[in-house]
Amino acid sequence: MQIPVTIVRILDTKEIGANQFKVREIHVDTEEQYTQRLAIQFTQDKCALLDNFKPGDKAKIDINLKGKEATNQKGETVVFNTIQGWRIEKV
């Protein structure tokens, strides 16, 4: 799925865990009648794709929707969702 956006901010890359898994988040506003503010994650080698962008840039981002089910400490089933970016291009 591809979405047109305006970049609001680009966060620094974070390294998580002992195996140094890389995650970089970008905050964007969607280009639609009712603008939505979204956080999109880029991981591993895709983090570097954001180096050539800055706040205010208009872009198209190809995304995948990710979800994971888990059981919390109360024994309740919860679902975590992530929007993962894998390609970005300037408009």
Side-chain angles (χ1 to χ4, degrees):
M1 174 188 306
Q2 187 178 74
I3 56 172
V5 299
T6 299
I7 297 172
V8 176
R9 71 184 61 84
I10 301 171
L11 305 179
D12 293 332
T13 300
K14 295 180 183 177
E15 293 184 0
I16 301 170
N19 59 1
Q20 302 299 302
F21 184 78
K22 295 179 183 179
V23 177
R24 191 170 186 189
E25 195 169 278
I26 183 172
H27 297 168
V28 300
D29 286 338
T30 59
E31 300 287 328
E32 54 192 349
Q33 182 179 358
Y34 299 105
T35 300
Q36 302 295 311
R37 175 78 41 100
L38 302 174
I40 301 173
Q41 288 185 351
F42 286 76
T43 58
Q44 298 298 82
D45 61 329
K46 303 295 183 193
C47 293
L49 295 175
L50 301 176
D51 290 344
N52 296 320
F53 291 86
K54 63 184 182 318
D57 284 348
K58 295 201 179 290
K60 288 184 181 178
I61 301 178
D62 288 288
I63 61 169
N64 290 326
L65 301 176
K66 301 276 192 163
K68 182 177 182 178
E69 185 174 278
T71 303
N72 67 18
Q73 293 176 341
K74 295 179 182 179
E76 302 165 328
T77 300
V78 294
V79 176
F80 297 97
N81 296 312
T82 303
I83 304 171
Q84 185 176 43
W86 56 275
R87 181 172 45 200
I88 183 170
E89 59 187 48
K90 289 187 181 181
V91 175

